[in-house]
Amino acid sequence: MDINVRIAGEAGQGIETAGEVLAQALADAGLYVFAAKSYMSRIRGGLNWYDIRISDQALFSGKENSDILLSLTAEGIKTLQGKAGSQAVVIADKATAENSSGCNCLDISGTAKTAGGSKIMANMVAAGVVFGMLPYDIEALSQQIRQAFDSKGEEMVKKNLKCAESGAELTKGLSDKLLFPQSGGADSFLCSGTEAVGMGALSAGVKFASAYPMTPATGVITYLAKHAREYGIVVEQAEDEIAAVNMVCGATFAGACALTATSGGGFALMAEGLSLSGMMELPVFIVLSQRPGPATGLPTRTAQQDLRFAVHGGHGEFPRAIFAPGTPEEAFKLTRKALATAHTFQSPAILMMDQFLADYVTNTAPLNTAYRPIDKQITTSPGEDYRRYKITENGVSPRAVPGGDALVKADSDEHDAEGHITENLSIRIEQHDKRMRKEKGIIEDSIAPMRYGPQDAQELIINWGSSYGPCREAVDTLNERGHGIAMLHFAQVWPLKTEEIKKAIQGDAPSWPELTCVEGNSTAQFAGLLKEQGIIDSRKPLLKYNGMPFTGIEIAEAIESD
Amino acid sequence: MDINVRIAGEAGQGIETAGEVLAQALADAGLYVFAAKSYMSRIRGGLNWYDIRISDQALFSGKENSDILLSLTAEGIKTLQGKAGSQAVVIADKATAENSSGCNCLDISGTAKTAGGSKIMANMVAAGVVFGMLPYDIEALSQQIRQAFDSKGEEMVKKNLKCAESGAELTKGLSDKLLFPQSGGADSFLCSGTEAVGMGALSAGVKFASAYPMTPATGVITYLAKHAREYGIVVEQAEDEIAAVNMVCGATFAGACALTATSGGGFALMAEGLSLSGMMELPVFIVLSQRPGPATGLPTRTAQQDLRFAVHGGHGEFPRAIFAPGTPEEAFKLTRKALATAHTFQSPAILMMDQFLADYVTNTAPLNTAYRPIDKQITTSPGEDYRRYKITENGVSPRAVPGGDALVKADSDEHDAEGHITENLSIRIEQHDKRMRKEKGIIEDSIAPMRYGPQDAQELIINWGSSYGPCREAVDTLNERGHGIAMLHFAQVWPLKTEEIKKAIQGDAPSWPELTCVEGNSTAQFAGLLKEQGIIDSRKPLLKYNGMPFTGIEIAEAIESD
Amino acid sequence: MSQQETAWCPGCGNFSILNTFEEAVKKAGIDRRNLVLVSGIGQAAKFPHYTEANLFNGLHGRALPAATGIKIANHTLNVVITSGDGDMYGEGGNHLLHAMRRNIGVKAFVHNNQVYGLTKGQASPTSEWGFHTKLQPEGVINAPMNPLAMGIIHDISLVARAYVGDREHLREMMVEFLSHEGGFALLDILQPCVSFNKLNTYQWYSERVQPIGSDHDPCDRQAALELAGQWEDTIPTGIIYRSEREPFESLLPALKEAPDGLCEKS
Amino acid sequence: MSQQETAWCPGCGNFSILNTFEEAVKKAGIDRRNLVLVSGIGQAAKFPHYTEANLFNGLHGRALPAATGIKIANHTLNVVITSGDGDMYGEGGNHLLHAMRRNIGVKAFVHNNQVYGLTKGQASPTSEWGFHTKLQPEGVINAPMNPLAMGIIHDISLVARAYVGDREHLREMMVEFLSHEGGFALLDILQPCVSFNKLNTYQWYSERVQPIGSDHDPCDRQAALELAGQWEDTIPTGIIYRSEREPFESLLPALKEAPDGLCEKS
Ligand SMILES: Cc1ncc(C[n+]2csc(CCOP(=O)(O)OP(=O)(O)O)c2C)c(N)n1
Ligand SMILES: Cc1ncc(C[n+]2csc(CCOP(=O)(O)OP(=O)(O)O)c2C)c(N)n1
Ligand code: SF4
Ligand code: SF4
Ligand SMILES: [Mg+2]
Ligand SMILES: [Mg+2]
């Protein structure tokens, strides 16, 4: 039992604020919420919308169609009415859409003027309209509004409350035909992937972050800046992404736990620095938040198009670990895990997310944000004849940092065990092999794919990263409809434990299951990787690359109609 | 019948000049020559050497061991004497290596002082010593020396000639035990990969080149600069590689045929620009000359480590063509082909070479350097309603350039057919699909791998790029020893004609042949690509990544001892 | 004007730049088929889409190298950059520096709103000391850069500043720049961002902006440097510096021999 | 001194820099365990290998961001860059510009040989007009950049020039820089390259280099700019500019609360 509410309008009309207030109010009322924004690359105008899917059970995906659509602009009705279900309640602002058929025209901006004194508050009227249609105690909304406008003064709080209340009063009888989920039971904490990564990084002991703003990665660095005082960290906006990654190289060399965050274009500029971190064996951590490319592409949309670039990017050969969380909760855990991996193996780690995971919020069990720094594994007793790149069996050498007793030397050229530049070709081989040996450890330490669904399923969805939720919903839907289908979620996409993964794919199925690889790109990148690794042989890719996230429904339908 | 001559010394001692003069003199005498330099990343000191392998048959590879070793420094004897065959003649300069055992000490620098007035001319004495040991008419050497020093004046020519003559006189009886190939028949034109690419580019109509110096790619751009007047082209040293590739994007947009050249680190910095050329559909041509990484690595050595980076580099998805010539002659042809491909499909093309192919010289049939510009396929009649990114069946849209009747619009964002920024997601799909459709054409137009050796061989070497020569020598050697082995040389490594390649691998062999993939990297990158494409299933990789090129002998031995 | 709907906020200074540009193009009698507008990424960088000209809307920060490539490939084109301060002075800083060394014949209109607009309000290289943003919650601690002074010390052809609030003056500058035939010409345009820069507002600029007096000699480098250093109480607008240095293109032998550019259509 | 064999050419100006550096480190009483030498790639950039200190020999052009990261991570370290003109002014130009804006507490010794040495003699950003190379066979047509003037207009802590031919003066400068505790300090060191720069030779420099007179007030920005502009007949060496601007690190709240830096070893 779920219902999807969509509020639409121009950038600058406060759609996002209204949506956030509503989503949190609903979560406070104990409902399961899955709220995602869809926005354009502009500051004012255009068409943005905010979806809030509400349920009495945990949600993992958005929905393409809405059950309630409210738009503050004519454009919103025009574009989105087609995606409102036949039973849906469609609400337009009288001021903009007088004669739209199938629409309920409410005087939203008029009410904003009357109740709040300005039509800028139409967003809170809209929030009230929506909440008024729902069968939950409106006090939850009032409380959220109070919090949201607290910093703007009592006067503003009152006006916005008045707007919401007046909005709620406009809705009599409008939603009588709709069925609503019952409230109660859900975690009231709503969390986005962005916040989760930020919290993970702060709790893990990140002390320095340098980045250049780039959608959809900017949020991570903004989150860190917001909490910089509290956690005693430095956040610096770099002049470009090259500076950002090289600053992080410098900072990790000096011994700080550090990160940078960017999207595809910025990651491209970091490729040389990534290679440097491989050569110098620095625990560099890069958050790569994807959006559709090539080039500038669609800056505010979502994609999973940079996997192969992350795996093969940077010149030369060196080990790296790549994680791809499926939910905010997992994003929190994997941020910590990625940092730990980077430090354990003195190798770069990349966390791949995308606009979808970065921005959507859903009920999440409280995260342990307490300061629990990962073990940086810095040696405090380097000893007399310390050598930074000592040859070891597992490839990991004792790591000291400058300022202590030993001199620490790191070189981007091929180097000897001490860290000095060398052109000795046997030393080259020794050091190269040493570096590459670390990959074995990374593999052993890697996260096995997570199965959801029956162990003996003969149909299997393979997913990586943010499409976890939609796939999971599809599995549930399909199994309810009589399929025997499971999914395997890859939260770590590189390097891969080949044999274990083969076993995990087979599960208890009598024969090799039929595979569908769900990916947000047009070339089935992960499937290609699995094929190259000898893990799978054939598969049906299910691909999407128009910039929108998958939904559970569309995956289920695609598999069913296959 | 071949013999390998090695001259060694410090950087700054003129080893390269001596080697070049000798190699050309030998080619002029009608001998087949394969000459390669091995040098360190420094300007003076260290140990460099120059190998000249001489034969009465075409040569395709160097040799690890030398039959004649001459070193101007003690270090050269120390390091290289172990790689001189047991029958080899080893010659040291008396001044540096009085008591080395197994060495013939000649007074090379002393002779330089006497004959030339300065020990700086020891290199020409050395050239004379070497040539004096060979059974060819010394006039060939004299002529080369005259040419080489012509610009420095008659006085210098005379001194250097005197040095060479005096050198030749020191050699009485030294080489009596050696057998030498007969002269006659070989093309006297010696060509390196670097020169070949330069000639290919100039003949094909490249009018603008922008690059940032980086070994081993600098030579290409220097070559173009040298001939800039003659061909009326502009060569600009950019402030960095990002500028270089973006200048080339701008220049191709404006309608010039243009290129840039770099090595792995610079290519990393170009990854974003590469993605731009994919998005804007610009015929950008990048020469990627590899050296060992990661990071700065071994700047003056060779490698084939950036294949996967070239295939998957740049964010987002777009077609590209990647070529990998095996000889200077092929480098010439493929430079033209790559430029033609880039223009036909309005997509980036990459030519991958490496220090080995960039630097070695060998007898080459004269290249047709006449100005024969490729067809840039620019429309001169765009028409009234011109749209730069018109949807077409094969994905290729009519290309106009600014300054004509139509306005030309190019955008790094997703764009509509006219070239204007769009956030319309259906247009996104249309344009993305249009771009990706071009890959089909690139595949159809691609170069099939070239087979060398028997059609029905049950053993097959797979190679790409510069290792062609060494593999070819290995095939000959092994077949002489009774093997039935062939090789498949991939001069185009992306995209791949899957089915045709499978057929080519099988050839007329009764069953799927046993494959050895020879690659200058540590992770069998091309083999992985073939596996991912479903072309091969298993293979024995034969890998080398110490910075030195393969030799035919070592490949033959590795396969034989397998 | 173009059919494209603008993506700017109501009240944004970019509109004045656009409208003034249209006037200036007419006044200067520019043939649009010969005009190439180059930009990077940002709000300002969307500019080329909103007028009629050839356009190259490239990567963030890379307008200058693209423009340089275009100008070298076909030096008969009138190549004009319209982009933001973050684009030209931040991500593109190295290109700015070296374009100045080249004195390449490209005109750059920098929409300087002292903030990153498109990415929602981070500090830009010209943001004031202490400017607060979500990413700089403690306020900016980096000194604002001085692109005009950089242009002067590297002796580029033309260095000027304008303000969108004084459209007549802005038009005058644009006409001069669009008609300019020498080397690199940098016009820094003060452009209020009503959404993210609540410090450098129309009012703030209006109180400070002052056209340079007629007694200033733009060929006097010291005087120009002094003017370029002024910001606190008065912000001078107008031609600050002018040099006779030859443009890059005119020093290239290949272009002398190819008066129509390097782009023969084959 | 280190065990590492140098890879420089006999007669190269880099040797004087190295020897003088050793003297200066001693004279300034620097604890080498606390000293971090950062460089990019080039002949000059090999410097850190030839002395005894912590070293970070990073990517070409990226010494400054690496040094910035190191200094922020542990501001108790003495972070000194020793790198080339191509590295710092060419590939690394954007970082130079923004390090100046930050006034980060890092000292940069730029071995300015006005050429790319390691890649065998192409023009560098400081190469003279008309300088001929294999890549610039018609001679350089880009104006040499003026890093010192850039430092002055962006008000960095210390701007100076030295010459390897005047070792006493060079040592004096180095001692001052090594002991300097303020913000960004740029020492441009004129360093003949005997292999690839046949124009700016020892003799050429010696004829022009002249220590700045004691009447110069380094706090006078205009005077400093004038000095920084001198090159033709006399090339001034010494402290050209000095500012009291606070270094970047001292403005970061997190560092105030972590006097030992951000690198707790766990
Ligand atoms: C490589 C890269 N990094 C970051 C971005 C994200 N980005 C787009 S515009 C912009 C800043 C724009 O600021 P400015 O140039 O001042 O333009 P404005 O929006 O203020 O007009 C940034 C950081 C990008 N597109 N590409
Ligand atoms: C990304 C990248 N581009 C190019 C190079 C090649 N490269 C190495 S050093 C150098 C120039 C060095 O010049 P400079 O900094 O002046 O040092 P010098 O050798 O003159 O001391 C170049 C271009 C590189 N290593 N990395
Ligand atoms: S964000 Fe600022 S600069 Fe961008 S359009 Fe809006 S007001 Fe203008
Ligand atoms: S090339 Fe020049 S700078 Fe480099 S070591 Fe030799 S003389 Fe010195
Ligand atoms: Mg801006
Ligand atoms: Mg230099």
Side-chain angles (χ1 to χ4, degrees), chain B residues 208 210 236 238-239 243-251, chain C residues 65-66 68-70 102:
Chain B
F208 175 63
S210 177
E236 175 63 2
E239 55 271 28
V245 74
N246 279 280
M247 281 188 201
V248 170
C249 286
Chain C
T68 301
I70 294 168
R102 283 189 191 97

Side-chain angles (χ1 to χ4, degrees), chain B residues 143-463:
Chain B
Q143 205 168 323
Q144 273 311 309
I145 292 177
R146 265 182 232 116
Q147 261 188 36
F149 295 93
D150 189 41
S151 64
K152 306 222 161 142
E154 192 49 33
E155 183 68 18
M156 280 300 279
V157 171
K158 270 200 193 136
K159 281 185 182 168
N160 279 287
L161 277 174
K162 186 94 208 304
C163 283
E165 283 157 19
S166 315
E169 280 160 23
L170 298 173
T171 61
K172 290 261 155 61
L174 266 182
S175 55
D176 289 357
K177 276 187 272 173
L178 293 176
L179 291 174
F180 296 99
Q182 283 225 312
S183 68
D187 272 308
S188 69
F189 174 51
L190 290 183
C191 188
S192 69
T194 295
E195 291 161 329
V197 169
M199 289 177 202
L202 290 172
S203 79
V206 163
K207 289 288 176 189
F208 175 63
S210 177
Y212 190 80
M214 187 161 193
T215 311
T218 313
V220 169
I221 208 83
T222 309
Y223 184 91
L224 296 178
K226 188 170 165 191
H227 297 275
R229 278 255 179 192
E230 193 180 327
Y231 283 84
I233 83 165
V234 174
V235 176
E236 175 63 2
Q237 180 177 326
E239 55 271 28
D240 54 34
E241 288 84 352
I242 303 172
V245 74
N246 279 280
M247 281 188 201
V248 170
C249 286
T252 51
F253 165 79
C257 187
L259 69 72
T260 185
T262 188
S263 190
F267 183 74
L269 293 167
M270 291 185 185
E272 195 196 14
L274 178 68
S275 176
L276 176 69
S277 68
M279 185 57 137
M280 284 195 170
E281 307 194 37
L282 300 170
V284 163
F285 179 44
I286 301 178
V287 177
L288 169 50
S289 200
Q290 299 161 95
R291 67 192 214 189
T296 310
L298 291 167
T300 60
R301 305 297 175 183
T302 201
Q304 297 186 294
Q305 293 182 344
D306 297 330
L307 176 64
R308 302 309 291 270
F309 189 21
V311 172
H312 305 283
H315 56 298
E317 300 172 302
F318 53 93
R320 70 193 84 194
I322 307 180
F323 300 90
T327 61
E329 191 181 341
E330 199 172 39
F332 175 81
K333 284 191 196 142
L334 290 190
T335 298
R336 294 183 53 89
K337 165 81 179 169
L339 282 162
T341 302
H343 283 82
T344 304
F345 299 101
Q346 302 175 20
S347 293
I350 300 170
L351 185 96
M352 295 189 77
M353 49 176 200
D354 48 41
Q355 180 270 325
F356 175 53
L357 177 58
D359 287 344
Y360 82 71
V361 299
T362 193
N363 315 65
T364 304
L367 302 173
N368 181 355
T369 60
Y371 185 64
R372 293 164 297 139
I374 53 138
D375 183 355
K376 289 194 284 184
Q377 309 198 24
I378 293 171
T379 172
T380 44
S381 50
E384 280 270 298
D385 61 341
Y386 175 69
R387 285 170 307 146
R388 173 68 187 90
Y389 301 103
K390 189 174 149 184
I391 301 295
T392 61
E393 215 179 294
N394 64 3
V396 178
S397 313
R399 174 169 171 244
V401 299
D405 287 337
L407 295 184
V408 183
K409 299 170 182 186
D411 192 1
S412 72
D413 295 272
E414 193 54 89
H415 41 256
D416 59 21
E418 212 183 326
H420 281 297
I421 186 171
T422 186
E423 299 190 55
N424 179 312
L425 304 184
S426 340
I427 296 181
R428 148 71 174 181
I429 292 292
E430 271 173 39
Q431 287 290 331
H432 186 86
D433 289 348
K434 171 189 117 62
R435 287 189 295 269
M436 295 306 283
R437 274 203 298 281
K438 294 189 293 182
E439 190 163 276
K440 193 159 161 268
I442 300 177
I443 291 176
E444 277 161 16
D445 190 44
S446 70
I447 300 171
M450 186 188 90
R451 175 180 284 258
Y452 179 74
Q455 278 301 327
D456 60 351
Q458 269 299 133
E459 283 181 274
L460 191 76
I461 292 176
I462 285 182
N463 106 282

Side-chain angles (χ1 to χ4, degrees), chain A residues 275 295-296 317 412 433 523 545, chain B residues 275 295-296 317 412 433 523 545:
Chain A
S275 176
T296 310
E317 300 173 302
S412 73
D433 289 348
T523 55
Y545 49 97
Chain B
S275 176
T296 310
E317 300 172 302
S412 72
D433 289 348
T523 56
Y545 50 97

Side-chain angles (χ1 to χ4, degrees), chain A residues 43, chain C residues 8-9 12 14 43 113 117 191 193-196:
Chain A
I43 310 304
Chain C
W8 293 325
C9 314
C12 174
N14 278 322
Q43 290 289 74
N113 55 8
Q191 171 244 316
C193 166
V194 297
S195 290
F196 295 111

Side-chain angles (χ1 to χ4, degrees), chain C residues 64-224:
Chain C
L64 260 167
T68 301
I70 294 168
K71 188 71 186 174
I72 294 175
N74 185 349
H75 62 291
T76 68
L77 296 171
N78 196 350
V79 182
V80 179
I81 293 172
T82 58
S83 215
D85 48 333
D87 202 60
M88 294 290 288
Y89 304 150
E91 185 91 43
N94 205 29
H95 312 308
L96 182 77
L97 183 51
H98 292 275
M100 287 175 169
R101 291 187 48 231
R102 283 189 191 97
N103 200 30
I104 178 84
V106 157
K107 302 102 197 251
F109 295 167
V110 182
H111 305 210
N112 184 359
N113 55 8
Q114 305 188 253
V115 76
Y116 283 13
L118 186 57
T119 47
K120 305 204 168 172
Q122 301 80 22
S124 92
T126 52
S127 291
E128 310 266 340
W129 282 97
F131 182 65
H132 283 75
T133 81
K134 275 194 186 168
L135 195 46
Q136 284 81 19
E138 313 273 347
V140 168
I141 60 172
N142 299 337
M145 78 179 256
N146 193 332
L148 302 185
M150 276 176 61
I152 299 165
I153 63 178
H154 291 112
D155 194 30
I156 68 172
S157 287
L158 213 47
V159 175
R161 184 189 278 127
Y163 167 50
V164 299
D166 185 351
R167 282 193 47 189
E168 209 163 313
H169 179 260
L170 174 59
R171 183 170 53 241
E172 203 183 294
M173 291 293 108
M174 282 185 165
V175 169
E176 164 132 19
F177 271 66
L178 287 170
S179 318
H180 169 72
E181 297 208 320
F184 189 38
L186 176 65
L187 179 62
D188 188 73
I189 306 175
L190 302 174
Q191 171 244 316
C193 166
V194 297
S195 290
F196 295 111
N197 191 334
K198 308 288 178 178
L199 173 59
N200 310 103
T201 58
Y202 283 98
Q203 192 184 341
W204 191 94
Y205 284 124
S206 297
E207 282 165 6
R208 289 165 178 80
V209 158
Q210 213 161 67
I212 297 167
S214 59
D215 53 334
H216 172 61
D217 172 10
C219 300
D220 178 342
R221 190 189 288 222
Q222 283 291 351

